[in-house]
Amino acid sequence: MVKSMTGFGRASKETEDFKVTIELKAVNHRYLETVFRLPRQFHHLEASLKKVITQKVKRGRLECFFSFEGAKVAEKHLAVDWELLDHYVRFLRQAKERYAIQEEVDLEALLADPAFLTVSESSEADPELPALITSVLEKAVARLDDMRAEEGTELALYFKEHLVKLERLLESVKEAIPETEKAYREKLEDRLAKLVGADFDEKLVLSELALLLEKADINEEIERFASHLKQFYSILTQEGAIGRKLDFLIQEMNREVNTMGSKAMSLSITQCVVEMKTTLEKIREQVQNVE
C-alpha cells in the first residue's frame, strides 16, 4: 500500500484538571526521525511516545508539538534567599544614614532581582498526564496516517498512469525492431553496391548484418524492463514502507533504458527512449514522497 511521507495530524483531549493538544507534522526523510517539542518534565516519556509513532510511521521526519493547560500540569515553587536579602537591606539602611539619603528602600525592585527571589517549576509531572498524553498521541498519529494514506492513493494512481505510458512506449520499441533490422540490411547492401557494384557476396552481407544486429540487440533490455514494470505494480500492493524499493527499481529501469538508447540505431527507437526517460524521471520525483 502506498503512503506519502508528508502529512499533518492533530488531536486534543480535556479532563477536569488538564487539556492536552498534540500536533504532528511529517515531511520527507530518508529514515525515521522524530523530534519532540516537550517540556522538561516530560522528557522521560520520549522513548514510549516514539513506540506509539513507529507502529504506523516507518519513514519521514516527524515534528511533534505538545501543548498543556491546567493548574496541575507543573507545580511552581517560590524560593527566597532571605539571608542575602537581610544583608542587602541592612546595607541600604546603613548607606542612608551614612550619606543622608532620603529615598525609601524599593521592595518591588528587590523582588524583581533573581539574586533574591526565583520561581521554579517542579521537574516531576502529575502522574495522570503520561496516560493522557499517550492517548492523545495515538489519535494524532491515526489522523496523520489517514492523511498519508489518502495522499498515497493519489500517488498510486499517478504511478499507474505513467506505468501504462511506459508499457505503450516499450511496445513501440518492440514494433520498431523488425523495421530497424530491415533498414540496417538495406543500408549495408547500398553501401556495398557503391563500393564493389551490384555483384557482391550475399554471405558477406549476412555476416556483417549479423555483427551489426548483435551490437544493436536490445531484446534483453526490453525483457528486463518489462519485468521491472511488473515488479513495480507488485510493490505498489505491498504493505509497509515501499519507497526505497521503488527508488531502487527506478534506478534499474533507468539503466535498461540508457542501454537501449546507447545501442539504438533507429530514430523511432531513440524517440521512444527519450520519452521513457522523461516518464521515469517524473515517477522518480514522486517516489521520493513515498514512505
Side-chain angles (χ1 to χ4, degrees), residues 70-81:
K72 295 175 64 178
V73 171
E75 293 184 14
K76 294 185 178 181
H77 303 279
L78 180 66
V80 181
D81 190 335

Side-chain angles (χ1 to χ4, degrees), residues 162-211:
H162 286 76
L163 290 174
V164 168
K165 182 177 181 179
L166 287 173
E167 289 172 333
R168 288 199 300 263
L169 289 168
L170 189 64
E171 193 60 35
S172 297
V173 171
K174 289 180 184 178
E175 292 172 357
I177 290 176
E179 189 64 31
T180 301
E181 292 178 353
K182 180 182 177 184
Y184 287 166
R185 178 168 184 141
E186 290 175 353
K187 285 182 180 180
L188 184 60
E189 289 177 346
D190 183 59
R191 188 176 301 170
L192 287 173
K194 288 179 180 179
L195 291 173
V196 299
D199 189 21
F200 53 79
D201 188 354
E202 182 70 17
K203 290 182 179 179
L204 177 61
V205 173
L206 294 176
S207 175
E208 291 296 324
L209 182 61
L211 289 173

Side-chain angles (χ1 to χ4, degrees), residues 159 232 235-236 242-250 287 290:
F159 293 145
F232 202 111
I235 292 174
L236 291 179
I242 61 173
R244 290 185 196 170
K245 294 180 182 179
L246 294 178
D247 189 48
F248 175 77
L249 193 57
I250 286 293
V287 163
V290 177

